Amino acid sequence: MLAAVMDYFSSCWGPRSRAGHRGKGSDAAGRQDGLLWYKDAGQLVTGEFSMAVVQANQLLEDQSQVESGPLSLADPGPQGTFVGVHDGHGGPETARFINDHLFNHLRKFATEHKCVSADVIRKAFQATEEGWLSLVSKEWSMKPQIASVGSCCLVGVICAGTLYVANLGDSRAVLGRLVKATGEAVAMQLSSEHNACHEEVRQELQSSHPDDPHIVVLKHNVWRVKGLIQISRSIGDVYLKKPEYNREPLHSKFRLRETFQRPILSADPQITEHRIQPNDQFVIFASDGLWEHLSTQEAVDLVHSSPRNGIARRLVKAAMQEAAKKREMRYSDLKKIDRGVRRHFHDDTTVVVLFLDSNAMSKASWSKSPSVSIRGGGVTLPAKSLAPFSALAQLNSTY
């Protein structure tokens, strides 16, 4: 029954670009091939890009976007490129909300500050988090499960020759830098993962909550914050940030035995600034679905040795081939498994590859350029609907 409902919604609300083109069969907005959505190639003000999304969950929880052109509301104003990879958990609602609001907040603050900066990006994250909290407060009485929905958030912004990377959660941005002496490309990770599997993250949590001996718990061989969730930073997950939402009627599996005085999870992004060098060739932005199966260097090697056209799709395929190999099955058989059941084999996976063109970036800093706005696709529900509780309550790997 649920699958039939999803298929109906898919036909009505297929992935669209800002211009409103349906994704399937449209080069402008990408193409759909079963559970794979892809945009093999496109041109941005800062260079070319390739983008792909493969769905595993019953509802696609990964949301993603590429925006290129004006980065503020001023005219003239800074030009550049924005990439967002938002890996939701507990449902797609928070990730969709980020897709709809974070870039607009960034443009607003860039207008006020008359530039793009780490401070502007941080304020955009904060405004997005506050907007989600406001939505939860309105919906809580009728839909208490919304308090348990959250999302990782990886953002890249290229403006005036600088690449800003802001991250919450365990998605990853990786730079491919050419080594002229050998002709090879070396991987440089530009983001840190906020996942309790890392010792430094556990130490950070313990330092922030010295009075809580159970702030991180090893459960079924996996480190989890309060025994519930692997990530330590996110947008959403209000049930671990505001004690008033960690009570009935929220489902018991999300409720803590003891109340808390300060937020357990943080929405403060880790932001790095990287001045783009002539040898910097490309940047891979991807959700953890890719990095579960490919190392940073393996991904960089594949991009460096392959044609640009369709490279995001090739990265997704390489990860899926590894997932199939781990389960001792053929990739062709894995592709036949439908969404929902597919989640037992791999996660929703989003990949965006940006190729860095220094000439384009120098010209685009303040001059007007054609705007590009595209979002990754998949089977979705209407924007204002909440995921069914049965889907929401399933505890996937992020939990």
Side-chain angles (χ1 to χ4, degrees):
M1 179 65 182
L2 181 59
V5 173
M6 296 302 101
D7 289 336
Y8 169 76
F9 282 135
S10 176
S11 66
C12 297
W13 286 278
R16 296 174 182 265
S17 70
R18 184 177 293 171
H21 299 297
R22 188 141 313 143
K24 189 171 182 178
S26 169
D27 286 331
R31 293 180 178 275
Q32 194 85 32
D33 179 13
L35 296 181
L36 174 69
W37 174 94
Y38 60 94
K39 169 75 173 173
D40 276 345
Q43 184 66 47
L44 307 173
V45 299
T46 52
E48 298 175 78
F49 81 102
S50 180
M51 187 175 182
V53 180
V54 66
Q55 180 171 351
N57 286 295
Q58 182 68 43
L59 299 178
L60 178 67
E61 294 184 337
D62 273 19
Q63 302 291 312
S64 52
Q65 64 192 122
V66 174
E67 312 281 349
S68 192
L71 295 179
S72 80
L73 303 173
D75 187 14
Q79 303 279 314
T81 294
F82 172 100
V83 174
V85 174
H86 318 306
D87 181 1
H89 46 264
E93 292 75 30
T94 310
R96 285 202 207 119
F97 185 88
I98 299 169
N99 241 14
D100 289 339
H101 294 88
L102 196 150
F103 178 63
N104 291 332
H105 286 310
L106 182 139
R107 294 188 72 195
K108 173 193 168 200
F109 289 117
T111 304
E112 293 176 3
H113 289 250
K114 299 180 181 178
C115 69
V116 172
S117 65
D119 186 47
V120 162
I121 295 170
R122 195 176 302 280
K123 286 183 176 181
F125 270 70
Q126 182 180 0
T128 305
E129 169 82 349
E130 290 172 354
W132 177 256
L133 291 176
S134 176
L135 178 65
V136 170
S137 69
K138 294 174 184 175
E139 299 281 347
W140 161 257
S141 61
M142 296 297 293
K143 302 172 183 176
Q145 69 268 27
I146 198 172
S148 65
V149 184
S151 182
C152 301
C153 184
L154 173 66
V155 163
V157 183
I158 299 177
C159 183
T162 296
L163 168 62
Y164 301 88
V165 174
N167 190 46
L168 296 170
D170 54 10
S171 296
R172 190 183 301 174
V174 176
L175 175 73
R177 173 173 285 179
L178 180 66
V179 179
K180 289 187 176 179
T182 63
E184 298 175 340
V186 63
M188 295 178 57
Q189 190 166 327
L190 299 176
S191 59
S192 298
E193 284 128 64
H194 309 120
N195 188 305
C197 69
H198 299 295
E199 175 65 26
E200 61 271 23
V201 172
R202 296 197 296 274
Q203 290 178 355
E204 180 183 60
L205 286 164
Q206 289 161 350
S207 297
S208 301
H209 302 83
D211 301 327
D212 187 351
H214 305 296
I215 188 64
V216 284
V217 177
L218 188 61
K219 188 175 181 180
H220 305 304
N221 255 352
V222 178
W223 285 102
R224 299 179 188 272
V225 182
K226 299 301 291 182
L228 291 171
I229 189 169
Q230 288 180 255
I231 58 169
S232 62
R233 303 192 195 192
S234 69
I235 287 178
D237 296 308
V238 180
Y239 76 114
L240 291 176
K241 294 175 179 175
K242 300 282 186 180
E244 59 265 36
Y245 298 107
N246 197 289
R247 58 180 176 83
E248 291 184 343
L250 183 69
H251 194 279
S252 60
K253 68 175 63 181
F254 299 114
R255 298 202 303 268
L256 301 177
R257 293 179 180 178
E258 298 177 354
T259 189
F260 50 94
Q261 302 302 316
R262 55 184 178 276
I264 294 170
L265 302 186
S266 169
D268 184 30
Q270 189 168 12
I271 303 177
T272 61
E273 298 181 38
H274 174 77
R275 190 68 185 173
I276 297 172
Q277 304 298 314
N279 289 351
D280 294 342
Q281 302 291 293
F282 54 84
V283 186
I284 305 168
F285 299 89
S287 58
D288 69 328
L290 181 77
W291 308 116
E292 286 174 3
H293 302 292
L294 296 180
S295 70
T296 55
Q297 191 60 52
E298 286 171 338
V300 164
D301 288 343
L302 182 58
V303 176
H304 182 60
S305 62
S306 304
R308 291 185 175 188
N309 191 290
I311 187 56
R313 187 153 48 115
R314 279 190 287 278
L315 283 168
V316 167
K317 181 179 179 180
M320 297 306 96
Q321 288 172 328
E322 285 299 313
K325 188 185 299 183
K326 290 174 183 177
R327 300 299 291 268
E328 299 182 345
M329 64 189 301
R330 293 178 299 183
Y331 170 65
S332 58
D333 291 332
L334 177 62
K335 286 176 63 180
K336 296 173 185 176
I337 300 173
D338 202 1
R339 64 184 187 273
V341 178
R342 181 82 80 90
R343 182 62 185 86
H344 296 290
F345 299 84
H346 66 84
D347 198 357
D348 293 338
T349 303
T350 297
V351 178
V352 180
V353 181
L354 290 189
F355 292 95
L356 305 174
D357 184 335
S358 56
N359 291 329
M361 283 185 279
S362 62
K363 294 176 183 176
S365 295
W366 288 86
S367 60
K368 285 188 178 181
S369 304
S371 295
V372 174
S373 179
I374 190 166
R375 298 189 179 191
V379 178
T380 62
L381 284 171
K384 292 186 178 180
S385 68
L386 185 68
F389 180 70
S390 59
L392 247 170
Q394 291 178 355
L395 299 184
N396 290 333
S397 62
T398 303
Y399 281 117

